[in-house]
Amino acid sequence: DVKVTQSSRYLVKRTGEKVFLECVQDMDHENMFWYRQDPGLGLRLIYFSYDVKMKEKGDIPEGYSVSREKKERFSLILESASTNQTSMYLCASSSGTGNQPQHFGDGTRLSIL
Amino acid sequence: AQSVTQLDSQVPVFEEAPVELRCNYSSSVSVYLFWYVQYPNQGLQLLLKYLSGSTLVKGINGFEAEFNKSQTSFHLRKPSVHISDTAEYFCAVSELGGSYIPTFGRGTSLIVHP
């Protein structure tokens, strides 16, 4: 089974801090994704990556950046955390084509105080 | 570009009753369709998928879905629900030959009452 592991289940940070969310997958998937999930809004795509060192903006990239130095690891960075970034963050991975499902981590619930 | 509409944000139902969660999509090309389930404080996991072939797709935990091309729908059904089916359900679509990035619906919260 594919395993997508997010480094923290719960995280509390202060406004203005630089925050790192880490995600690791163990199935050699090319594609990795970061979403945020808010009540009533479903999943919104922040950034995705289709290869090492490659990244593409999703629907809501403002205030975020990403890093993919190794194929199995995809990091989400909040450069200067703000209270409106309090949310559930989900990492996912998939293999090459659109007929393959995504595999999700258990999420990180991030609170910015 | 594709889009997905889940018509109900919340569906309450009694235990052992049947349930249908509705999903409609919009696309100018052929599509792949997915249903995911999210239990409280967990990530999403795949329930079932339609790629091609038979329009009736069976998934895990007794769920099934039917692809209807003329109505552009992919409704999820279960003949008898359990308390443990209480969860958020997401429909997703990706386009044949297009991007590998799926479009998700906003989710339907299934609440099963004893």
Side-chain angles (χ1 to χ4, degrees):
Chain A
D1 268 358
V2 175
K3 183 82 173 161
V4 178
T5 303
Q6 294 184 230
S7 54
S8 304
R9 292 298 305 274
Y10 301 93
L11 209 52
V12 180
K13 296 291 183 181
R14 295 199 179 277
T15 304
E17 280 192 71
K18 191 169 187 176
V19 181
F20 294 86
L21 302 184
E22 306 287 347
C23 175
V24 176
Q25 51 97 1
D26 66 357
M27 280 301 290
D28 203 37
H29 283 168
E30 298 89 347
N31 311 317
M32 295 189 75
F33 309 82
W34 275 106
Y35 295 91
R36 66 176 282 176
Q37 182 180 17
D38 300 289
L41 298 179
L43 275 68
R44 292 183 290 168
L45 182 63
I46 305 171
Y47 267 96
F48 62 98
S49 168
Y50 54 88
D51 202 351
V52 177
K53 296 194 185 294
M54 305 303 291
K55 59 185 179 183
E56 296 284 346
K57 293 179 180 179
D59 300 317
I60 52 163
E62 296 78 18
Y64 303 94
S65 62
V66 289
S67 172
R68 194 167 179 199
E69 296 297 318
K70 294 184 177 182
K71 191 174 186 179
E72 67 270 19
R73 186 179 297 271
F74 192 37
S75 303
L76 179 70
I77 304 154
L78 286 65
E79 298 290 344
S80 177
S82 64
T83 55
N84 63 10
Q85 292 178 309
T86 291
S87 186
M88 169 71 96
Y89 290 86
L90 292 168
C91 175
S93 71
S94 72
S95 60
T97 59
N99 65 350
Q100 297 302 312
Q102 291 185 319
H103 299 265
F104 286 82
D106 281 337
T108 296
R109 189 166 294 280
L110 176 64
S111 296
I112 307 296
L113 305 179
Chain B
Q2 70 266 32
S3 67
V4 179
T5 302
Q6 291 186 242
L7 296 161
D8 305 297
S9 60
Q10 205 171 81
V11 173
V13 64
F14 286 110
E15 195 173 18
E16 298 184 7
V19 70
E20 178 179 84
L21 306 183
R22 297 180 292 169
C23 173
N24 285 87
Y25 69 92
S26 173
S27 175
S28 56
V29 300
S30 296
V31 295
Y32 304 118
L33 293 155
F34 307 85
W35 274 101
Y36 292 84
V37 59
Q38 183 182 31
Y39 298 106
N41 296 315
Q42 294 185 24
L44 282 69
Q45 61 185 87
L46 183 69
L47 208 50
L48 49 78
K49 61 185 178 184
Y50 171 78
L51 303 181
S52 65
S54 173
T55 58
L56 184 63
V57 180
K58 293 190 184 298
I60 62 172
N61 301 339
F63 283 92
E64 63 181 32
E66 185 157 20
F67 170 54
N68 188 318
K69 189 174 182 179
S70 62
Q71 297 188 4
T72 60
S73 68
F74 191 53
H75 300 333
L76 182 70
R77 301 185 183 102
K78 186 170 183 179
S80 175
V81 295
H82 303 289
I83 295 286
S84 59
D85 292 321
T86 294
E88 193 83 13
Y89 292 80
F90 292 92
C91 181
V93 61
S94 60
E95 291 184 332
L96 185 69
S99 166
Y100 52 86
I101 304 167
T103 297
F104 285 86
R106 291 194 172 191
T108 297
S109 179
L110 175 64
I111 302 168
V112 182
H113 297 282

